[in-house]
């Protein structure tokens, strides 16, 4: 849709601080959506998986690992 009043917006740069503080997200594996094994899984469960995975990654980053290598 075009209009005589339309003006394209100039792309605004995103700072590292914005990405690190405002642009955070959870990763959800495509396998949870594409693999028939997970087809019956509720979307809420898939989101819970992504949050738990994020917690594991934070624990690993903070070296919260026992002597057996378990997070």
């Amino acid at each position: 849709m075009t209009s005589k009043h339309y003006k394209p917006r100039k792309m605004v740069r995103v700072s590292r601080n914005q990405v690190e503080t405002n642009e955070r997200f959870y990763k959800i594996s495509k396998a949870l959506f594409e693999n028939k094994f997970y087809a019956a899984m509720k979307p809420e469960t898939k989101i819970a998986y992504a949050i738990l995975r994020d917690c594991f990654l934070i624990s690993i980053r903070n070296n919260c690992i026992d002597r057996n290598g378990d997070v």
Side-chain angles (χ1 to χ4, degrees):
M1 185 167 108
T2 59
S3 168
K4 62 180 178 180
H5 301 292
Y6 173 78
K7 292 183 182 179
R9 294 186 197 183
K10 183 178 178 185
M11 187 176 133
V12 178
R13 293 283 192 187
V14 178
S15 72
R16 178 180 178 171
N17 184 53
Q18 286 175 303
V19 172
E20 292 176 347
T21 59
N22 299 330
E23 298 293 326
R24 298 173 22 177
F25 57 91
Y26 294 108
K27 267 186 170 176
I28 300 178
S29 174
K30 285 185 179 183
L32 296 177
F33 298 94
E34 298 173 347
N35 190 318
K36 290 179 182 179
F37 182 80
Y38 302 109
M41 187 183 284
K42 294 180 182 179
E44 295 87 353
T45 306
K46 294 174 184 180
I47 292 170
Y49 164 82
I51 293 169
L52 182 61
R53 182 182 180 281
D54 187 63
C55 290
F56 277 124
L57 293 174
I58 291 170
S59 294
I60 291 169
R61 204 175 313 132
N62 291 328
N63 203 29
C64 296
I65 302 168
D66 67 13
R67 65 179 84 152
N68 298 321
D70 297 326
V71 179

